[in-house]
Amino acid sequence: MAMKQMEDVHGFQPFIEIMDSTLRDGEQTSGVSFLPHEKLMIARMLLRDLNVDRIEVGSARVSEGEKEAVKMICRYARQIDRLDSVEVLGFVDGHVSVDWVESAGCKTLNLLAKGSLKHCREQLRKTPEEHISDIREEVAYAHSKGIKVNLYLEDWSGGMKDSPEYVYQLMDALIDTPVRRFMLPDTLGIMNPLQVIEFFRKMNRRYPDAHFDFHAHNDYDLAVSNSLAAALCGVRGLHVTVNGLGERCGNAPLSSVQVILKDHFHAKTNINEERLNDISRLVESYSGIAIAPNQPIIGDNVFTQVAGVHADGDNKGGLYHNALVPERFGRKREYAMGKTSGRANIARNLKELGLELTPEQTQRVTKRITELGDRKEVVTQDDLPFIVSDVLKHDVAEDRVKLVGYQVSLAYGLKPLANVKVEVNGMQYEGHSSGDGQYDAFVKAVRKIYKEYLDRTFPLLENYAVTIPPGGRTDALVQTVITWRKDDGRLMRTRGLDADQTEAAIKATIKMLNMIEAEVSHPVA
């Protein structure tokens, strides 16, 4: 049976439906609560940009804020003809959930039933027959209202382990109802892949025509493995969340499930992989839950080589590349530098930047980077020009925009002031402004120069992040990463490295201005 399924996976490329539950199950992460407009922005990106098949956007009866969010999402989904892709969790509660879903403008109810005898008896205090009767009545009522129903069998994994006869009794009684999908969760995250295979084989043998979804939890760090085991056994849909959000240890991450389905199982999905990183960053921002740097696919470090032997191997034919090329996800490979980098890594970064150094200069830069690595500094390609300048004490590139001088002042009770002189394509200009902070005053002064003297604008600041090296030493370098949004909506990031935070931000800004000048001088056709 397993061999036949594997042949199907590789020979016929089965289609797997992806249901994202970030806005419902993901919001159960401790400390995470999305505002209605944040839910709408996440839903828009999931449906429009990621092309997720379905999204579960909330739970019935929770709050007025929840209903407002569901209404907003449903209005948007209706506009793009994706209303059938929006689902809401509801309960066997005498039609209250059905009416709630209908009033919110949603057309699909994910009805929560009990998938184990233990939950049925101890939580509901009902017999299986009573629970089945209640479910059938709820499904019939929803059907009469034009609401489609998918059925969760909560604690299905526990039911298959301890009371499989109850699970079969439930399924036998409901298989002839209008339920579209039977969604089988590992509610407590207790299963391993071998059990998933065993239980799905049993379900498929008894109900070969049923549409089964699998909903994994990550308590044993097996959510992805269990999801793929379910796919191997012919499951038609998998439930995921962005960044693996979810209660306790979370759910199966969308990014990991997608790429493994495609690369290892040759399965088809509708997911647009180029936007996986974008949705992860959006959810990271709204949730406040940081993505681990080594998180597969979406972590900051996953496409960053540090070891010098790796850079050397890539120089000699991409020896350390795999199918997870960064361009696939709208990213690029970086060669970060640290104490294990070696000359090959640093030479590759210098070459990509167009910097030509003598062997003696390269050795001095390598020594400096090794020293930073010993202090646990993060050094990337964008930082390298600043390291070079710091070491060699002179500019190594002809910049079109140069900072001639600046002065920023900070006084109690007064707005910070900045006086700035910059050189743009050989001409010097001065400007001054106040701001909400020293850096804000600096940027406003530069914007004033560009507007008054050059009749131009430059990208808006989208995000500003500062990394302070461990130890808090006053002579330690500070890395400032600034994200800018261009007029066409594209994002660009620049970094500055300095002992002073404001100086680091200013360097990042000057770098951005040089990138803009380069585009103006050499526009892309």
Side-chain angles (χ1 to χ4, degrees):
M1 181 69 175
M3 183 61 70
K4 178 60 168 65
Q5 288 162 340
M6 182 66 76
E7 290 173 358
D8 289 344
V9 167
H10 291 290
F12 300 101
Q13 291 189 299
F15 175 78
I16 303 293
E17 206 174 56
I18 300 297
M19 193 275 267
D20 183 275
S21 187
T22 303
L23 299 177
R24 197 277 300 175
D25 213 359
E27 199 180 26
Q28 293 178 198
T29 306
S30 178
V32 173
S33 179
F34 298 120
L35 296 172
H37 82 274
E38 291 175 337
K39 281 198 166 191
L40 176 61
M41 293 301 101
I42 294 171
R44 281 167 57 96
M45 184 170 283
L46 287 169
L47 292 175
R48 180 189 62 190
D49 302 323
L50 268 293
N51 201 31
V52 169
D53 297 289
R54 299 149 50 205
I55 56 174
E56 193 173 42
V57 300
S59 301
R61 301 167 29 198
V62 170
S63 67
E64 284 304 310
E66 185 87 335
K67 178 175 278 191
E68 180 58 30
V70 174
K71 285 181 176 179
M72 292 168 62
I73 293 170
C74 288
R75 282 196 297 268
Y76 169 73
R78 189 180 294 108
Q79 292 172 4
I80 63 170
D81 199 26
R82 293 291 306 274
L83 184 57
D84 284 344
S85 299
V86 180
E87 303 170 7
V88 172
L89 180 73
F91 311 94
V92 181
D93 54 10
H95 313 331
V96 176
S97 288
V98 175
D99 292 338
W100 193 98
V101 168
E102 182 186 36
S103 66
C106 188
K107 293 296 183 181
T108 303
L109 169 69
N110 291 341
L111 187 62
L112 188 69
K114 300 302 178 183
S116 68
L117 184 60
K118 182 177 182 180
H119 275 227
C120 179
R121 284 181 173 171
E122 297 185 17
Q123 190 170 31
L124 297 183
R125 307 288 185 185
K126 291 192 175 185
T127 65
E129 291 76 18
E130 289 172 331
H131 189 36
I132 289 169
S133 176
D134 292 342
I135 296 170
R136 290 182 66 93
E137 184 179 345
E138 210 69 58
V139 171
Y141 181 73
H143 190 63
S144 72
K145 292 282 189 175
I147 305 293
K148 302 179 181 68
V149 177
N150 303 317
L151 188 70
Y152 271 117
L153 301 187
E154 186 182 19
D155 195 37
W156 168 78
S157 51
M160 291 300 291
K161 291 181 73 171
D162 303 325
S163 54
E165 67 288 342
Y166 167 81
V167 176
Y168 301 145
Q169 180 184 2
L170 202 68
M171 286 294 304
D172 289 345
L174 299 173
I175 197 66
D176 65 340
T177 66
V179 170
R180 300 183 68 192
R181 301 175 182 89
F182 292 91
M183 307 195 297
L184 310 179
D186 182 15
T187 303
L188 301 179
I190 59 176
M191 301 177 76
N192 62 55
L194 294 179
Q195 291 169 322
V196 172
I197 292 172
E198 175 191 352
F199 296 158
F200 267 104
R201 284 177 179 173
K202 292 177 178 178
M203 296 294 287
N204 285 327
R205 275 199 295 262
R206 288 183 68 102
Y207 313 103
D209 298 324
H211 177 120
F212 290 126
D213 280 7
F214 180 61
H215 181 105
H217 280 264
N218 203 36
D219 295 68
Y220 282 94
D221 202 19
L222 289 171
V224 174
S225 298
N226 287 342
S227 296
L228 298 168
L232 180 64
C233 292
V235 74
R236 298 190 193 179
L238 292 174
H239 295 190
V240 298
T241 59
V242 177
N243 302 342
L245 292 184
E247 62 181 343
R248 305 190 312 276
C249 300
N251 294 24
L254 165 61
S255 53
S256 296
V257 169
Q258 163 62 26
V259 298
I260 299 175
L261 278 175
K262 181 175 181 180
D263 292 0
H264 289 269
F265 290 81
H266 304 283
K268 289 183 178 180
T269 70
N270 284 324
I271 300 299
N272 176 14
E273 292 183 342
E274 290 186 357
R275 303 307 300 271
L276 285 172
N277 190 60
D278 293 334
I279 189 65
S280 292
R281 297 303 166 186
L282 180 66
V283 171
E284 178 186 43
S285 175
Y286 286 159
S287 68
I289 304 296
I291 300 170
N294 62 339
Q295 177 74 21
I297 315 304
I298 55 174
D300 280 341
N301 294 349
V302 297
F303 298 118
T304 301
Q305 304 276 35
V306 177
V309 65
H310 292 172
D312 182 62
D314 287 344
N315 285 334
K316 297 173 180 176
L319 301 182
Y320 291 91
H321 291 188
N322 58 22
L324 299 175
V325 293
E327 293 77 13
R328 175 176 167 185
F329 310 106
R331 302 180 64 182
K332 69 174 186 176
R333 190 174 302 280
E334 295 183 354
Y335 292 85
M337 290 153 283
K339 62 183 180 181
T340 63
S341 296
R343 290 191 181 183
N345 191 332
I346 295 168
R348 184 182 181 106
N349 280 279
L350 289 169
K351 181 179 179 180
E352 290 184 0
L353 289 170
L355 300 176
E356 295 184 5
L357 302 184
T358 66
E360 188 272 336
Q361 290 172 332
T362 302
Q363 183 177 3
R364 291 169 60 191
V365 171
T366 302
K367 180 180 178 182
R368 176 63 168 142
I369 290 172
T370 301
E371 292 171 354
L372 291 171
D374 285 335
R375 291 164 54 192
K376 298 184 180 181
E377 296 280 2
V378 176
V379 180
T380 68
Q381 186 184 90
D382 291 326
D383 303 321
L384 189 54
F386 304 117
I387 298 292
V388 172
S389 294
D390 184 50
V391 171
L392 304 184
K393 303 300 182 185
H394 64 77
D395 292 333
V396 297
E398 289 296 324
D399 293 332
R400 296 178 181 273
V401 180
K402 297 180 181 179
L403 181 63
V404 179
Y406 76 91
Q407 181 182 32
V408 293
S409 63
L410 182 65
Y412 179 76
L414 300 174
K415 278 195 169 187
L417 299 174
N419 293 301
V420 179
K421 179 186 286 187
V422 295
E423 181 180 307
V424 182
N425 294 320
M427 298 292 293
Q428 293 190 359
Y429 308 95
E430 291 188 34
H432 62 273
S433 182
S434 62
D436 294 328
Q438 291 176 304
Y439 175 66
D440 183 57
F442 174 88
V443 171
K444 286 180 177 177
V446 177
R447 285 191 182 279
K448 189 174 181 180
I449 290 173
Y450 267 67
K451 181 178 180 181
E452 293 184 356
Y453 296 107
L454 303 176
D455 193 26
R456 289 166 49 194
T457 61
F458 54 81
L460 294 175
L461 191 150
E462 181 84 4
N463 195 19
Y464 179 104
V466 178
T467 301
I468 301 175
R473 293 172 52 191
T474 56
D475 60 341
L477 290 172
V478 175
Q479 178 180 248
T480 301
V481 181
I482 303 180
T483 303
W484 310 87
R485 183 173 295 277
K486 303 173 73 172
D487 291 341
D488 59 8
R490 290 183 298 149
L491 297 178
M492 59 187 297
R493 290 182 178 86
T494 54
R495 291 178 171 87
L497 199 69
D498 198 87
D500 179 78
Q501 176 179 330
T502 301
E503 182 75 13
I506 288 172
K507 286 182 175 180
T509 305
I510 297 299
K511 180 173 183 179
M512 177 274 294
L513 294 174
N514 273 291
M515 293 170 66
I516 295 299
E517 288 300 320
E519 289 185 1
V520 171
S521 302
H522 303 285
V524 178

